Amino acid sequence: MELIRVADVQKKYKTGTVALYDVDLSIAKGEFVFLIGPSGSGKSTLIKMLYREEKPDKGSIIIGGINVSKLKDRKVYLLRRKLGVVFQDFKLLPKLTVYENVAFAMEVLAYDKNTVHKRVMEVLELVGLKNKVRQYPDQLSGGEQQRVVIARAIVKNPNIVIADEPTGNLDSKNSLEIMNIIKAISKEKLVILVTHEV
């Protein structure tokens, strides 16, 4: 079953840089997709379009039946409920604990407290951080922070997980551990992994 369809997508920035030209892509449920290319090849532009931070100049992007390219700003939250995004630069809230950073993704969707607690503890166990729930981001290593980001991305059980260079700031040991977690997630979800290397 097709979850993502990108058709004839083009994007040119005001600087004159053509980021994407006539991009076509079809991704089905259960796939693990690598988006590979050097810096400046348009990878980040494409994934920003998938979670609707950017809009194409031309073409269409359909995700789970939603036409992302025509989605009004006030309706973007409907798309983002279907997605989990793992950012390279973490984007953790510094004044919230590990538990609170992950729980926040469910609390904004008004899940009840018991459901939130059960699910947060499940995903923290999956990423190996069950013993770090009360710590703050600045008390964690880079690898641990990236695990929190992964937990936050999957806590609301999205169909699609987009990981933007999730090992870009990590050493080889942490990179391998993060990749193993993402591989495990890919058994249940469509995963798009953005990287400049394999």
Side-chain angles (χ1 to χ4, degrees), residues 114-174:
N114 290 337
T115 304
V116 170
H117 180 74
K118 184 171 181 285
R119 180 63 181 154
V120 170
M121 295 312 290
E122 277 174 11
V123 296
L124 287 176
E125 183 163 16
L126 175 72
V127 300
L129 289 178
K130 205 170 179 181
N131 62 339
K132 304 268 184 179
V133 289
R134 290 190 176 90
Q135 291 192 283
Y136 291 88
D138 66 359
Q139 296 174 303
L140 303 174
S141 69
E144 288 169 335
Q145 288 185 56
Q146 190 61 288
R147 288 168 190 238
V148 178
V149 176
I150 292 170
R152 183 183 59 191
I154 63 171
V155 73
K156 55 189 182 174
N157 214 11
N159 297 324
I160 301 165
V161 175
I162 299 169
D164 186 8
E165 304 216 20
T167 60
N169 296 323
L170 304 177
D171 61 33
S172 56
K173 180 179 179 289
N174 278 307

Side-chain angles (χ1 to χ4, degrees), residues 173-191:
K173 180 179 179 289
N174 278 307
S175 294
L176 185 60
E177 288 173 1
I178 294 299
M179 285 305 298
N180 285 336
I181 292 168
I182 290 172
K183 193 175 174 185
I185 291 166
S186 73
K187 290 175 181 165
E188 297 178 4
K189 303 178 185 313
L190 186 164
V191 173

Side-chain angles (χ1 to χ4, degrees), residues 39-69:
S39 294
S41 60
K43 304 183 304 293
S44 291
T45 299
L46 179 58
I47 63 157
K48 283 178 180 175
M49 286 182 185
L50 296 181
Y51 61 83
R52 196 27 182 69
E53 191 174 311
E54 294 277 359
K55 286 183 183 177
D57 298 328
K58 177 181 176 279
S60 67
I61 299 170
I62 313 287
I63 298 179
I66 296 174
N67 189 337
V68 178
S69 27

